[in-house]
Amino acid sequence: MLKDLENIVSAAIVSSFSRKFIDNLEIDVAIVGAGPSGLVAAKTLAEGGFKVALFERNLAPGGGVWGGGMLFNEVVVQQEAIDILNEFGVSSKPLEEAPGYFSVDSVEMASGLIFGATHAGARLFNAMSVEDVVFKNDAIAGLVVNWAPVERARMHVDPLVVVSKFVVDGTGHPCEVLNLASRKARVQLDTPTGEILGERPMQAEQGEASTVEYTREYYPGLYACGMSANNVMGGYRMGPIFGGMLRSGKKVAGLIAEQLNKAR
């Protein structure tokens, strides 16, 4: 039996994390990127009884929400997505000068989304990078993961594998998982060219709509949400308005839940 507090703390961290990680080596849905769309998707799927894990490269999950607009820690959300914020207990204030739009404290929003997803049962692994995909039976079937500091230091350390029924690319503008599938697995994505079309310049109204519209499956087992979906289909960027991102997370969760329920 351990007696020294230092050893008790160390053993607790190692054993608890090991159990958590082992329990998530085979899951229903692996979401790459714990931004707003990924966190909404994770909460919705976890509440549906599915086994979900998020993999976030940064130490702090939340994606681009934290910084608000140019470090003014406020963002805007439109009426259509307020119900989603309410589900997470995140408060909002209507804009008198723009009916149908609301201001939201970006720190409250980021922290609320993170708490909501994890409290619903989704597991979140931060400081963990995805360096490859698992490719089986002409489908994306999981992730190859490593520690983000190992990746950044370019250390020659072999990764580990997480097997999943579905993978969601929620990595934002770079759409990294779609890039991996296209470049390394050499698959044809479900786009007009079979490749990633790339993000177009700022046009907020169209960008908000296309973020939701382009949220779907792009190759068997591989979905995209949020700005990843916009980037792969050549959608417009929209800046610090987040309604489309929240709705995209809801949509991708619904699409995947439908597939998982069919397989039950």
Side-chain angles (χ1 to χ4, degrees), residues 132-144:
D132 207 345
V133 292
V134 179
F135 191 67
K136 290 185 178 181
N137 303 318
D138 293 322
I140 304 302
L143 303 171
V144 181

Side-chain angles (χ1 to χ4, degrees), residues 33-37 39 56 58 60-68 110 113-114 170-172 242 245:
S37 57
L39 289 165
E56 169 58 50
N58 293 317
V65 177
W66 291 106
L113 293 177
I114 295 165
T171 61
F242 282 87
M245 304 280 278

Side-chain angles (χ1 to χ4, degrees), residues 144-223:
V144 181
V145 299
N146 212 328
W147 295 116
V150 168
E151 177 191 59
R152 287 169 181 156
R154 298 185 179 180
M155 298 171 65
H156 185 69
V157 176
D158 280 332
L160 295 172
V161 173
V162 174
V163 173
S164 63
K165 296 172 184 173
F166 294 98
V167 170
V168 178
D169 186 335
T171 61
H173 301 272
C175 56
E176 295 178 25
V177 185
L178 290 160
N179 264 303
L180 283 170
S182 177
R183 177 173 54 83
K184 293 200 72 177
R186 300 178 184 178
V187 304
Q188 292 284 304
L189 301 173
D190 185 17
T191 69
T193 65
E195 299 178 345
I196 294 167
L197 301 184
E199 184 182 276
R200 300 174 75 179
M202 173 78 75
Q203 192 170 139
E205 190 169 355
Q206 288 198 29
E208 281 293 284
S210 63
T211 299
V212 181
E213 178 187 352
Y214 297 152
T215 295
R216 58 180 175 82
E217 190 174 36
Y218 283 90
Y219 192 78
L222 177 58
Y223 284 76

Side-chain angles (χ1 to χ4, degrees), residues 10-237:
S10 297
I13 289 170
V14 172
S15 61
S16 295
F17 181 84
S18 297
R19 286 193 297 269
K20 180 168 63 176
F21 191 47
I22 290 170
D23 188 50
N24 285 274
L25 291 178
E26 187 172 351
I27 55 180
D28 292 318
V29 187
I31 301 174
V32 187
S37 57
L39 289 165
V40 170
K43 178 179 185 291
T44 306
L45 286 163
E47 288 177 338
F50 302 111
K51 196 171 184 179
V52 186
L54 298 114
F55 298 88
E56 169 58 50
R57 172 178 287 140
N58 293 317
L59 188 60
V65 177
W66 291 106
M70 213 176 78
L71 293 182
F72 294 92
N73 64 345
E74 291 282 333
V75 296
V76 172
V77 173
Q78 56 271 67
Q79 178 70 60
E80 293 83 352
I82 289 299
D83 284 347
I84 299 175
L85 284 186
N86 290 341
E87 290 178 21
F88 284 83
V90 176
S91 58
S92 58
K93 298 178 183 178
L95 297 175
E96 294 181 4
E97 63 275 23
Y101 293 88
F102 297 74
S103 64
V104 182
D105 183 289
S106 65
V107 175
E108 180 186 352
M109 180 173 167
S111 56
L113 293 177
I114 295 165
F115 178 80
T118 54
H119 192 66
R123 289 297 192 184
L124 202 164
F125 296 95
N126 60 334
M128 199 172 284
S129 289
V130 172
E131 63 178 53
D132 207 345
V133 292
V134 179
F135 191 67
K136 290 185 178 181
N137 303 318
D138 293 322
I140 304 302
L143 303 171
V144 181
V145 299
N146 212 328
W147 295 116
V150 168
E151 177 191 59
R152 287 169 181 156
R154 298 185 179 180
M155 298 171 65
H156 185 69
V157 176
D158 280 332
L160 295 172
V161 173
V162 174
V163 173
S164 63
K165 296 172 184 173
F166 294 98
V167 170
V168 178
D169 186 335
T171 61
H173 301 272
C175 56
E176 295 178 25
V177 185
L178 290 160
N179 264 303
L180 283 170
S182 177
R183 177 173 54 83
K184 293 200 72 177
R186 300 178 184 178
V187 304
Q188 292 284 304
L189 301 173
D190 185 17
T191 69
T193 65
E195 299 178 345
I196 294 167
L197 301 184
E199 184 182 276
R200 300 174 75 179
M202 173 78 75
Q203 192 170 139
E205 190 169 355
Q206 288 198 29
E208 281 293 284
S210 63
T211 299
V212 181
E213 178 187 352
Y214 297 152
T215 295
R216 58 180 175 82
E217 190 174 36
Y218 283 90
Y219 192 78
L222 177 58
Y223 284 76
C225 66
M227 288 308 299
S228 291
N230 235 0
N231 190 52
V232 69
M233 282 293 286
Y236 291 95
R237 73 180 301 170

